Amino acid sequence: MRISFCAQTDPAPWLAALQQHLPQAQVDVWHSGAARADFAIVWAAPQQFFDEQTALQAVFNMGAGVDALLQRQMRADLPIVRLNDAGMGVQMAEYVCHALIRHTRDFALFEAQAQHGLWQEPPVLDRADFPVGILGLGVLGEQVARAVQHFGFPILGWSRTARQLDGVRCFHSQAQLEAFLAGTRVLVNLLPLTPQTENLLNRDTLSQLEPGAYLINIARGRHVVDEDLLSLLDSGQMAGATLDVFRTEPLPAEHPFWRHPRVTVTPHIAGRTVLQDTVQQIVAKIQALQKGQPIEGVVDRARGY
Ligand code: NAP
Ligand code: GLV
């Protein structure tokens, strides 16, 4: 069995871990003209990779989101496999809880007050005033919902098809989006980027949130219309945003998000790919495929995720 590795990261630890779990396999870093492999492990692979690697039985994405991979031309019957959690869920939960609590418990205010030696207490928080709405109740959205639940905030969730989660008011489909937004004050985006979800967070939808809304975007930058978000923040209709993902990454130096007083920027680190968890998951799936067994996480290309 031959495995081709193609990602913009130091390949050495990946090759070592793969080789350790699959000693019989030939694992190589891809280069133009490389021998044809049976399986591929990729992140941001060029089109040339797919043009040349015509014998693949499956391609494994080193992340949960496959929006970039689906831009590549490849055989229609080639299974694309996304990561299912693989250590990202707990990180997403940490990130959201941090941003949520930093906002609701006024930590930015205390940091500003401390600059002036100011001792001032804000009113006591009523969690009922901060319903958290999660867009996307998939592998990661569900874990975020569970973590936020621990702190006693009301939780709403929105998905494409109907879902049932204990303690979460579940909404689904375009028809129920309005009701979901109207009941949400802290909006957490965990949707995949598809033609249906691109630009979903715009002036119209963000204006339907409760007054003083807060956005936590950890999915993709192209879900958000930046100018609309900035204008709602500037007008005071929205209270702030924590943003991990952007239309252009790295976020250009001149982008207003960098300097906006109510925007927190992080460099696409909400859910990092964890080497050991990722390798174990991919190896288990390669072994299952070789035995002709079904695997989880095969992307539905028509659906886009
Ligand atoms: P997932 O398991 O595929 O879940 C996607 C969820 O979104 C599902 O609940 C799905 O509904 C819902 N959805 C999809 N299209 C929809 C639509 N048109 N309307 C309403 N709901 C829709 O994905 P995941 O593993 O949780 O990952 C979510 C995203 O997080 C990834 O696609 C990626 O972009 C992002 N991500 C970011 C980072 C980071 O570091 N910032 C790290 C990892 C992932 P159904 O339940 O009905 O299918
Ligand atoms: C990261 O953004 C991922 O999709 O895993």
Side-chain angles (χ1 to χ4, degrees), residues 2-19:
R2 192 179 279 272
I3 299 175
S4 187
F5 182 87
C6 181
Q8 279 74 42
T9 185
D10 175 12
W14 289 89
L15 265 53
L18 286 160
Q19 207 66 78

Side-chain angles (χ1 to χ4, degrees), residues 64-65 82 88 92 136-141 158-161 163 190-192 196-197 218-220 244-245 268 270-271 305:
R82 44 69 58 93
M88 285 186 283
M92 295 306 231
L137 291 175
V139 173
L140 302 175
W158 186 67
S159 50
R160 191 178 55 85
T161 56
R163 304 281 308 247
L190 267 166
L191 290 168
Q196 287 71 40
T197 64
I218 50 176
R220 288 290 183 264
D244 184 54
V245 285
H268 199 144
Y305 69 100

